PDB file of all heavy atoms in Angstrom:
ATOM      1  N   PHE K 338     -11.329  -2.585  13.132  1.00 96.00           N
ATOM      2  CA  PHE K 338     -10.239  -3.318  13.795  1.00 96.00           C
ATOM      3  C   PHE K 338     -10.811  -4.059  15.046  1.00 96.00           C
ATOM      4  O   PHE K 338     -11.482  -3.513  15.848  1.00 96.00           O
ATOM      5  CB  PHE K 338      -9.177  -2.382  14.227  1.00 96.00           C
ATOM      6  CG  PHE K 338      -8.073  -3.003  15.113  1.00 96.00           C
ATOM      7  CD1 PHE K 338      -7.337  -4.073  14.646  1.00 96.00           C
ATOM      8  CD2 PHE K 338      -7.869  -2.531  16.405  1.00 96.00           C
ATOM      9  CE1 PHE K 338      -6.331  -4.610  15.459  1.00 96.00           C
ATOM     10  CE2 PHE K 338      -6.922  -3.112  17.220  1.00 96.00           C
ATOM     11  CZ  PHE K 338      -6.128  -4.135  16.780  1.00 96.00           C
ATOM     12  N   ALA K 339     -10.563  -5.348  15.092  1.00 97.00           N
ATOM     13  CA  ALA K 339     -11.055  -6.174  16.202  1.00 97.00           C
ATOM     14  C   ALA K 339     -10.118  -6.082  17.388  1.00 97.00           C
ATOM     15  O   ALA K 339      -9.256  -6.955  17.619  1.00 97.00           O
ATOM     16  CB  ALA K 339     -11.195  -7.623  15.700  1.00 97.00           C
ATOM     17  N   ALA K 340     -10.269  -5.001  18.116  1.00 95.00           N
ATOM     18  CA  ALA K 340      -9.371  -4.773  19.269  1.00 95.00           C
ATOM     19  C   ALA K 340      -9.515  -5.765  20.378  1.00 95.00           C
ATOM     20  O   ALA K 340      -8.587  -5.971  21.170  1.00 95.00           O
ATOM     21  CB  ALA K 340      -9.642  -3.353  19.804  1.00 95.00           C
ATOM     22  N   ASP K 341     -10.661  -6.462  20.458  1.00 96.00           N
ATOM     23  CA  ASP K 341     -10.878  -7.459  21.500  1.00 96.00           C
ATOM     24  C   ASP K 341     -10.471  -8.884  21.150  1.00 96.00           C
ATOM     25  O   ASP K 341     -10.675  -9.797  21.909  1.00 96.00           O
ATOM     26  CB  ASP K 341     -12.337  -7.411  21.911  1.00 96.00           C
ATOM     27  CG  ASP K 341     -13.306  -7.732  20.766  1.00 96.00           C
ATOM     28  OD1 ASP K 341     -12.855  -7.716  19.585  1.00 96.00           O
ATOM     29  OD2 ASP K 341     -14.491  -8.024  21.023  1.00 96.00           O
ATOM     30  N   LEU K 342      -9.915  -9.043  19.944  1.00 97.00           N
ATOM     31  CA  LEU K 342      -9.448 -10.355  19.510  1.00 97.00           C
ATOM     32  C   LEU K 342      -8.219 -10.804  20.288  1.00 97.00           C
ATOM     33  O   LEU K 342      -7.236 -10.115  20.318  1.00 97.00           O
ATOM     34  CB  LEU K 342      -9.143 -10.303  18.004  1.00 97.00           C
ATOM     35  CG  LEU K 342      -8.894 -11.657  17.311  1.00 97.00           C
ATOM     36  CD1 LEU K 342     -10.119 -12.547  17.382  1.00 97.00           C
ATOM     37  CD2 LEU K 342      -8.466 -11.448  15.890  1.00 97.00           C
ATOM     38  N   ALA K 343      -8.297 -11.944  20.971  1.00 98.00           N
ATOM     39  CA  ALA K 343      -7.212 -12.444  21.778  1.00 98.00           C
ATOM     40  C   ALA K 343      -5.919 -12.519  21.010  1.00 98.00           C
ATOM     41  O   ALA K 343      -5.906 -13.006  19.882  1.00 98.00           O
ATOM     42  CB  ALA K 343      -7.539 -13.733  22.418  1.00 98.00           C
ATOM     43  N   GLN K 344      -4.810 -12.107  21.573  1.00 98.00           N
ATOM     44  CA  GLN K 344      -3.554 -12.111  20.944  1.00 98.00           C
ATOM     45  C   GLN K 344      -2.913 -13.522  20.967  1.00 98.00           C
ATOM     46  O   GLN K 344      -2.880 -14.163  22.029  1.00 98.00           O
ATOM     47  CB  GLN K 344      -2.575 -11.157  21.670  1.00 98.00           C
ATOM     48  CG  GLN K 344      -1.148 -11.151  21.151  1.00 98.00           C
ATOM     49  CD  GLN K 344      -1.024 -10.626  19.735  1.00 98.00           C
ATOM     50  OE1 GLN K 344      -1.572  -9.632  19.390  1.00 98.00           O
ATOM     51  NE2 GLN K 344      -0.352 -11.419  18.856  1.00 98.00           N
ATOM     52  N   LEU K 345      -2.389 -13.962  19.810  1.00 98.00           N
ATOM     53  CA  LEU K 345      -1.680 -15.243  19.799  1.00 98.00           C
ATOM     54  C   LEU K 345      -0.339 -15.052  20.544  1.00 98.00           C
ATOM     55  O   LEU K 345       0.443 -14.130  20.217  1.00 98.00           O
ATOM     56  CB  LEU K 345      -1.359 -15.651  18.336  1.00 98.00           C
ATOM     57  CG  LEU K 345      -2.479 -16.187  17.510  1.00 98.00           C
ATOM     58  CD1 LEU K 345      -1.935 -16.548  16.104  1.00 98.00           C
ATOM     59  CD2 LEU K 345      -3.079 -17.432  18.148  1.00 98.00           C
ATOM     60  N   PRO K 346      -0.085 -15.890  21.527  1.00 98.00           N
ATOM     61  CA  PRO K 346       1.149 -15.730  22.281  1.00 98.00           C
ATOM     62  C   PRO K 346       2.301 -16.636  21.679  1.00 98.00           C
ATOM     63  O   PRO K 346       2.066 -17.439  20.802  1.00 98.00           O
ATOM     64  CB  PRO K 346       0.799 -16.344  23.647  1.00 98.00           C
ATOM     65  CG  PRO K 346      -0.187 -17.406  23.301  1.00 98.00           C
ATOM     66  CD  PRO K 346      -0.948 -16.933  22.124  1.00 98.00           C
ATOM     67  N   TYR K 347       3.500 -16.329  22.082  1.00 98.00           N
ATOM     68  CA  TYR K 347       4.610 -17.192  21.773  1.00 98.00           C
ATOM     69  C   TYR K 347       4.552 -18.369  22.753  1.00 98.00           C
ATOM     70  O   TYR K 347       4.651 -18.241  23.958  1.00 98.00           O
ATOM     71  CB  TYR K 347       5.935 -16.460  21.929  1.00 98.00           C
ATOM     72  CG  TYR K 347       7.150 -17.342  21.852  1.00 98.00           C
ATOM     73  CD1 TYR K 347       7.360 -18.232  20.805  1.00 98.00           C
ATOM     74  CD2 TYR K 347       8.184 -17.310  22.846  1.00 98.00           C
ATOM     75  CE1 TYR K 347       8.431 -19.048  20.695  1.00 98.00           C
ATOM     76  CE2 TYR K 347       9.251 -18.098  22.739  1.00 98.00           C
ATOM     77  CZ  TYR K 347       9.373 -19.002  21.650  1.00 98.00           C
ATOM     78  OH  TYR K 347      10.561 -19.807  21.657  1.00 98.00           O
ATOM     79  N   ASP K 348       4.332 -19.575  22.196  1.00 98.00           N
ATOM     80  CA  ASP K 348       4.106 -20.779  23.044  1.00 98.00           C
ATOM     81  C   ASP K 348       4.684 -21.973  22.304  1.00 98.00           C
ATOM     82  O   ASP K 348       4.062 -22.657  21.539  1.00 98.00           O
ATOM     83  CB  ASP K 348       2.623 -20.959  23.254  1.00 98.00           C
ATOM     84  CG  ASP K 348       2.300 -22.023  24.287  1.00 98.00           C
ATOM     85  OD1 ASP K 348       3.145 -22.900  24.518  1.00 98.00           O
ATOM     86  OD2 ASP K 348       1.252 -22.000  24.913  1.00 98.00           O
ATOM     87  N   PRO K 349       5.977 -22.293  22.604  1.00 98.00           N
ATOM     88  CA  PRO K 349       6.673 -23.395  21.943  1.00 98.00           C
ATOM     89  C   PRO K 349       5.932 -24.740  22.187  1.00 98.00           C
ATOM     90  O   PRO K 349       5.936 -25.613  21.342  1.00 98.00           O
ATOM     91  CB  PRO K 349       8.109 -23.353  22.558  1.00 98.00           C
ATOM     92  CG  PRO K 349       8.315 -22.007  22.998  1.00 98.00           C
ATOM     93  CD  PRO K 349       6.974 -21.520  23.414  1.00 98.00           C
TER      94      PRO K 349
END
Side-chain angles (χ1 to χ4, degrees):
F338 170 62
D341 58 347
L342 189 64
Q344 175 66 51
L345 285 180
Y347 170 51
D348 190 335

